[in-house]
């Protein structure tokens, strides 16, 4: 009975204590932890098994349960505390790549040296008191495990860890439907638990150094591609607008399906009159930012670990991009995305890519919403026009839309203007009608943009494409029903599922070209067509695109008659820029990072304060509907009047001190992160 009690303590009670303490520390919210086992039972169960494995390893190494528990507690709770502090300041938990990137590892140490606070002191005191309790009051006899027991512990730990990290021999990921939320690591830790989310991220940690990576080899590659491309329009710096339209594709390619009207009439007409074709993208149905990453940086996700999300894992330092190259030539650079700023870490990534500002959904003023939650595409077109008109310098605008984002199981209250017929299930027809309506709206938004710049005297280029094919039902439902996707494993089918329509429009270039490129070559092609100087890396990409224009998944290279070795130089240069010593720059300046980068259309400014009839009026610039007036760092219930005026009712008990209290306007997002804040001022100063 004593043995049974000991094992129950080892495998049930103590792991549960460790799990509870770690989650309470990292969440800093007891209610969140209390709800977690019921809302995410599978994730809780696997997290519990992970702590069983940790305790087994401790018991096997230290031979004694009490000491094993104490050491496990110190390590895991310390991990949780560091993660909590990191999350407090960097909005992300501790991640595997924090331990392999030099600067990030240094930052982890700095969390303790720079932010010694009550939480850290409480942790140290609690650990000391717990140690005293364990070694003085928890059992007088010390039971040491035998060799057989220790071997069994190691076996059990290996079984659990391999089933979590490798999904074998027990398929825990599939059994419990575990998902690594790569686009939001904070949510990932909330959903899976801190240690489980850390383990799920391990699969994307390793990026091996390519064979032959040496400074001499990098210089040799660049010397082979050091000739400047011909400048087709020397002295002209056109506005460059890139629009990555959500899930934009041509459903008329589906066999046996008819639409009551063409969902892409304007786009199709432009493709006949201007340059266009297809773009091979690295993803299907989701992971938008991998296509975005390829277009902006020229890097290929095919050279990264499978399933990785470049924005989440690898863009954590300045990375050369179209934005940085064009900023170096005097361009105003802005990114626009009609969704949350934090989605896929774009708020930080766009800084590292060299943009001067990022306008996310939080900064749209009373936009039209479609399909219940997405900002309409025409709102993005309006904002692009506004940004270009406001800039004195030539503009580079990179915009991502959201209106036609899946799932397509819910549609428009007004109903679709397009009806679908064909050998499809009712659900399949509905998905297509919802999707086709989104395409029709995207087509109209494109028309608005093109018609504006057709009349503009400034030379302008617009590049329009989709990030991936739409996810039309589970398990390729619509594609299977009409026979578009048969899972035959052919290269032709692969190209169909990973190719999206592309348009290259200009109001001053007359050459018409058929374009069939990999997404990672699009930036280099754009610079060449615009007659703009590229960096050595983009010059290399221009030449490589002519040699081998498409980069399929490695599994399809042989079927496409492509020797993977042809990408050797490309992979070496990409490794050098993302993970290596940056030999490519040969000691010169790295990519430009805008020191004045900010979120929003413009900096929020308070210009005047007035108090009338119990209301504080704040006048200034660049206010948005979700802004709040803060009085001595306390948020007031705020009324948005316009982009230049906000009001807030002041309770009578606060009015006596009102003239002397500091007033500021702040904007926070859905995760309560501070996005923007105005200058801080005092009413008394304004009255003078």
């Amino acid at each position: 009975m004593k043995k049974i009690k000991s094992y129950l303590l080892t495998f049930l009670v103590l792991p549960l204590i460790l799990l509870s303490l770690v989650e309470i520390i990292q969440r800093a919210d007891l209610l969140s932890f209390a709800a977690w086992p019921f809302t995410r039972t599978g994730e809780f169960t696997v997290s519990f098994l992970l702590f069983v494995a940790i305790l087994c390893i401790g018991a096997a190494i230290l031979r004694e349960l009490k000491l094993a528990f104490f050491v496990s507690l110190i390590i895991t709770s310390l991990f949780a505390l560091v993660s909590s502090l990191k999350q407090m300041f960097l909005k992300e938990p501790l991640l595997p790549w924090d331990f392999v990137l030099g600067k990030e590892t240094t930052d982890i140490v700095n969390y303790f040296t720079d932010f010694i606070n009550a939480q850290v002191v409480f942790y140290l005191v609690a650990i000391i008191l717990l140690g005293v309790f364990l070694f003085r009051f928890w059992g007088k006899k010390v039971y040491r495990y035998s060799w057989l027991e220790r071997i069994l512990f190691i076996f059990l730990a290996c079984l659990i860890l391999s089933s979590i990290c490798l999904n074998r021999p027990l398929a825990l990921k599939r059994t419990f439907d575990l998902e690594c939320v790569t686009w939001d690591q904070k949510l990932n830790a909330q959903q899976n638990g801190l240690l489980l989310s850390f383990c799920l991220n391990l699969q994307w940690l390793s990026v091996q150094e390519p064979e032959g990576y040496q400074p001499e080899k990098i210089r040799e590659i660049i010397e082979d591609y050091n000739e400047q491309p011909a400048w087709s329009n020397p002295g002209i710096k056109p506005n460059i607008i890139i629009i990555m339209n959500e899930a934009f594709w041509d459903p008329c390619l589906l066999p046996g399906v008819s639409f009551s009207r063409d969902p892409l009439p304007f786009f199709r007409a432009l493709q006949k009159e201007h340059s266009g074709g297809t773009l091979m993208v690295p993803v299907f149905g989701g992971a938008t930012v991998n296509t975005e990453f390829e277009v902006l940086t020229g890097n290929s996700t095919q050279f990264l670990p499978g399933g990785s999300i470049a924005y989440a894992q690898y863009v954590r330092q300045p990375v050369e991009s179209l934005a940085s190259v064009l900023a170096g030539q005097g361009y105003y650079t802005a990114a626009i995305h009609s969704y949350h700023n934090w989605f896929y870490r774009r708020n930080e990534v766009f800084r590292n890519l060299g943009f001067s500002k990022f306008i996310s959904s939080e900064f749209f003023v009373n936009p039209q919403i479609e399909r219940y939650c997405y900002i309409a595409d025409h709102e993005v077109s309006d904002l692009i026009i506004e940004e270009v008109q406001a800039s004195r310098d030539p503009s580079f605008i990179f915009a991502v839309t959201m209106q036609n984002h899946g799932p397509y199981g819910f549609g428009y209250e007004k109903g679709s203007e397009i009806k679908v017929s064909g050998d499809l299930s009712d659900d399949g027809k509905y998905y297509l009608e919802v999707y086709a309506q989104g395409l029709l709206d995207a087509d109209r938004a494109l028309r608005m943009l093109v018609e504006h710049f057709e009349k503009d005297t400034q030379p302008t280029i617009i590049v329009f494409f989709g990030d991936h094919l739409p996810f039309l039902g589970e398990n390729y439902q619509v594609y299977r029903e009409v026979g578009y996707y048969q899972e035959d494993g052919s290269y032709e089918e692969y190209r169909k599922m990973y190719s999206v329509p592309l348009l290259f429009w200009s109001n001053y270039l007359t050459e018409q070209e058929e374009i069939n490129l990999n997404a990672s070559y699009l930036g280099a092609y754009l610079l060449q067509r615009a007659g703009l100087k590229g960096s050595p890396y983009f010059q290399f990409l221009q030449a490589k695109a002519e040699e081998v224009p498409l980069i399929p998944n490695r599994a399809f290279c042989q079927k496409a008659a492509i020797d993977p070795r042809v990408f050797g130089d490309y992979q070496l240069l990409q490794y050098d820029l993302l993970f290596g010593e940056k030999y490519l720059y040969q000691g010169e300046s790295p990519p430009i990072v805008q020191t004045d980068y900010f979120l929003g259309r413009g900096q929020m400014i308070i210009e005047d304060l007035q108090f009338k009839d119990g209301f504080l009026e704040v006048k200034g610039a660049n206010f948005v509907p979700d802004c709040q007036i803060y009085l001595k760092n306390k948020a007031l219930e705020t009324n948005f009047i316009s982009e230049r005026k906000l009001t807030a009712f002041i309770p009578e008990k606060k009015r006596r001190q009102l003239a002397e209290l500091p007033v500021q306007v702040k904007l926070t997002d859905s995760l309560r992160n501070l996005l923007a804040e105005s200058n801080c001022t005092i009413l008394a100063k304004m009255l003078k």
Side-chain angles (χ1 to χ4, degrees):
M1 288 301 297
K2 287 183 179 179
K3 277 284 186 76
I4 292 174
K5 289 181 181 178
S6 173
Y7 283 124
L8 286 175
L9 187 67
T10 303
F11 296 116
L12 292 178
V13 179
L14 296 184
L16 185 59
I17 292 174
L18 290 175
L19 172 61
S20 302
L21 288 174
V22 165
E23 288 303 314
I24 290 171
I25 291 173
Q26 80 100 0
R27 293 168 187 265
D29 185 347
L30 189 59
L31 292 177
S32 172
F33 169 70
W36 181 46
F38 303 99
T39 58
R40 293 286 179 177
T41 306
E43 288 83 351
F44 173 81
T45 302
V46 179
S47 288
F48 171 78
L49 291 175
L50 184 57
F51 279 88
V52 171
I54 291 171
L55 197 59
C56 283
I57 293 172
I61 295 173
L62 301 172
R63 295 190 61 190
E64 196 252 300
L65 180 59
K66 185 164 50 176
L67 182 59
F69 173 73
F70 185 60
V71 172
S72 299
L73 176 65
I74 291 176
I75 294 173
T76 57
S77 57
L78 180 63
F79 187 93
L81 181 61
V82 174
S83 181
S84 176
L85 289 172
K86 184 190 176 199
Q87 196 163 269
M88 185 185 305
F89 296 101
L90 299 181
K91 312 305 179 188
E92 284 186 342
L94 209 54
L95 300 169
W97 34 96
D98 289 330
F99 294 90
V100 295
L101 297 177
K103 183 180 183 302
E104 301 247 350
T105 304
T106 305
D107 289 343
I108 293 170
V109 177
N110 290 338
Y111 294 142
F112 280 105
T113 58
D114 293 344
F115 303 110
I116 301 298
N117 56 18
Q119 187 178 355
V120 177
V121 174
F122 175 79
Y123 166 79
L124 295 174
V125 172
I127 288 294
I128 292 171
L129 292 177
L130 185 59
V132 171
F133 170 78
L134 285 175
F135 293 100
R136 288 203 53 157
F137 302 105
W138 183 21
K140 295 181 180 180
K141 289 186 177 181
V142 176
Y143 175 77
R144 295 188 178 276
Y145 293 112
S146 66
W147 276 106
L148 179 60
E149 288 173 312
R150 294 167 70 186
I151 291 173
L152 288 174
F153 286 156
I154 290 296
F155 173 78
L156 180 60
C158 290
L159 177 65
I160 293 173
L161 292 175
S162 64
S163 297
I164 291 174
C165 297
L166 304 178
N167 204 35
R168 62 183 63 150
L170 304 177
L172 292 181
K173 289 183 182 179
R174 185 169 65 250
T175 302
F176 292 98
D177 195 24
L178 301 181
E179 177 192 11
C180 185
V181 190
T182 54
W183 51 266
D184 185 349
Q185 292 294 347
K186 184 177 179 181
L187 178 61
N188 194 27
Q190 293 286 316
Q191 178 173 304
N192 291 304
L194 179 61
L195 263 63
L196 177 57
S197 66
F198 188 90
C199 289
L200 292 176
N201 274 309
L202 285 172
Q203 61 186 308
W204 292 300
L205 177 62
S206 177
V207 178
Q208 295 183 349
E209 179 180 301
E211 185 179 349
Y213 176 62
Q214 297 292 336
E216 297 80 12
K217 179 61 176 177
I218 299 299
R219 285 195 291 269
E220 178 186 328
I221 294 171
I222 291 303
E223 286 173 2
D224 290 340
Y225 299 95
N226 61 1
E227 292 185 6
Q228 294 289 341
W231 286 41
S232 57
N233 293 280
I236 297 178
K237 289 187 176 181
N239 294 318
I240 297 175
I241 300 167
I242 298 179
I243 303 168
M244 189 169 72
N245 191 271
E246 175 61 38
F248 186 81
W249 180 65
D250 185 0
C252 295
L253 295 172
L254 294 172
V257 177
S258 299
F259 296 85
S260 59
R261 59 179 295 185
D262 187 353
L264 300 172
F266 188 69
F267 178 87
R268 211 178 302 282
L270 288 182
Q271 271 201 324
K272 293 177 180 178
E273 300 172 2
H274 297 267
S275 297
T278 60
L279 197 68
M280 179 177 278
V281 296
V283 291
F284 169 83
T288 294
V289 288
N290 276 359
T291 301
E292 186 175 322
F293 169 77
E294 291 201 354
V295 169
L296 284 173
T297 67
N299 297 314
S300 172
T301 57
Q302 303 298 350
F303 307 144
L304 298 175
S308 60
I309 301 294
Y311 275 16
Q313 283 98 327
Y314 310 124
V315 188
R316 293 175 171 269
Q317 56 184 331
V319 175
E320 180 175 304
S321 76
L322 270 177
S324 64
V325 169
L326 291 172
Q329 299 181 49
Y331 270 74
Y332 159 69
T333 59
I336 298 172
H337 183 39
S338 53
Y339 204 55
H340 302 296
N341 75 95
W342 44 262
F343 205 57
Y344 284 119
R345 296 185 64 250
R346 283 186 176 93
N347 51 356
E348 291 298 326
V349 167
F350 285 142
R351 178 198 302 272
N352 283 328
L353 294 184
F355 285 96
S356 60
K357 70 178 182 181
F358 171 35
I359 307 173
S360 56
S361 63
E362 293 89 351
F363 297 94
F364 282 70
V365 178
N366 298 324
Q368 180 180 329
I369 303 298
E370 292 287 359
R371 297 179 59 222
Y372 310 123
C373 59
Y374 298 131
I375 293 176
D377 283 1
H378 72 80
E379 297 282 358
V380 177
S381 293
D382 281 336
L383 186 53
I384 291 172
I385 293 170
E386 179 184 317
E387 287 297 308
V388 173
Q389 288 179 332
S391 175
R392 296 179 180 178
D393 298 319
S395 299
F396 170 58
I397 309 292
F398 179 79
V400 184
T401 68
M402 278 294 288
Q403 179 181 337
N404 214 16
H405 195 285
Y408 305 100
F410 63 98
Y412 298 80
E413 292 181 357
K414 63 187 179 185
S416 175
E417 300 174 52
I418 299 178
K419 298 303 177 185
V420 173
S421 59
D423 190 13
L424 283 163
S425 64
D426 290 342
D427 284 345
K429 290 178 182 178
Y430 184 69
Y431 295 153
L432 269 181
E433 287 176 358
V434 171
Y435 175 68
Q437 180 63 49
L439 289 177
L440 188 60
D441 290 343
D443 195 65
R444 289 165 176 164
L446 175 62
R447 177 189 286 271
M448 176 194 309
L449 204 62
V450 168
E451 288 181 348
H452 171 83
F453 287 104
E454 276 180 332
K455 303 171 185 176
D456 201 315
T457 57
Q458 292 179 288
T460 300
I461 293 172
I462 296 176
V463 181
F464 190 94
F465 60 93
D467 49 352
H468 51 68
L469 271 67
F471 190 79
L472 297 171
E474 294 185 11
N475 195 27
Y476 303 91
Q477 178 182 339
V478 170
Y479 302 102
R480 287 182 183 276
E481 287 181 356
V482 300
Y484 188 79
Y485 177 69
Q486 299 175 343
E487 203 171 4
D488 60 14
S490 67
Y491 177 58
E492 291 71 22
E493 184 167 81
Y494 171 81
R495 285 196 62 178
K496 288 196 302 183
M497 302 304 291
Y498 288 87
S499 295
V500 296
L502 170 68
L503 171 70
F504 187 100
W505 177 91
S506 173
N507 63 358
Y508 75 103
L509 294 174
T510 57
E511 301 89 348
Q512 185 177 0
E513 293 185 1
E514 178 69 22
I515 308 170
N516 292 289
L517 283 176
N518 201 71
S520 59
Y521 294 138
L522 183 58
Y525 174 81
L526 175 59
L527 290 173
Q528 188 176 40
R529 283 295 303 272
L532 295 172
K533 183 179 180 181
S535 67
Y537 186 46
F538 277 94
Q539 289 173 222
F540 166 83
L541 294 175
Q542 289 173 14
K544 183 59 69 174
E546 295 178 5
E547 180 183 353
V548 51
L550 301 178
I551 308 176
N553 183 284
R554 282 162 284 189
F556 288 91
C557 280
Q558 184 176 355
K559 296 178 181 179
I562 297 175
D563 186 346
R565 289 175 295 184
V566 75
F567 301 119
D569 291 349
Y570 193 169
Q571 191 169 359
L572 282 171
L573 290 181
Q574 177 171 312
Y575 180 87
D576 182 56
L577 294 178
L578 285 181
F579 311 105
E581 301 299 323
K582 297 179 175 53
Y583 299 131
L584 177 64
Y585 299 123
Q586 301 182 25
E588 296 182 1
S589 299
I592 292 175
V593 174
Q594 306 286 2
T595 56
D596 56 351
Y597 170 86
F598 66 95
L599 301 179
R601 299 188 184 193
Q603 300 283 7
M604 289 195 300
I605 301 172
I606 295 179
E607 298 173 344
D608 186 35
L609 296 176
Q610 295 182 15
F611 182 69
K612 297 179 181 179
D613 302 324
F615 283 87
L616 176 64
E617 289 187 356
V618 178
K619 296 181 180 179
N622 299 312
F623 300 143
V624 293
D626 288 335
C627 281
Q628 284 185 295
I629 299 172
Y630 282 72
L631 193 61
K632 198 180 178 180
N633 289 322
K634 290 187 177 181
L636 302 176
E637 187 174 341
T638 303
N639 305 308
F640 175 78
I641 308 301
S642 71
E643 295 174 69
R644 300 194 62 84
K645 184 178 178 181
L646 304 172
T647 66
F649 179 75
I650 306 298
E652 193 168 343
K653 60 182 180 180
K654 292 185 178 180
R655 295 177 188 176
R656 295 179 182 178
Q657 297 178 300
L658 179 61
E660 302 299 328
L661 295 178
V663 178
Q664 194 173 20
V665 176
K666 298 181 182 181
L667 175 67
T668 56
D669 63 18
S670 59
L671 300 181
R672 299 182 182 178
N673 298 321
L674 179 65
L675 298 185
E677 57 185 349
S678 71
N679 53 311
C680 188
T681 189
I682 297 174
L683 180 61
K685 293 183 179 180
M686 293 290 183
L687 295 176
K688 290 179 182 180

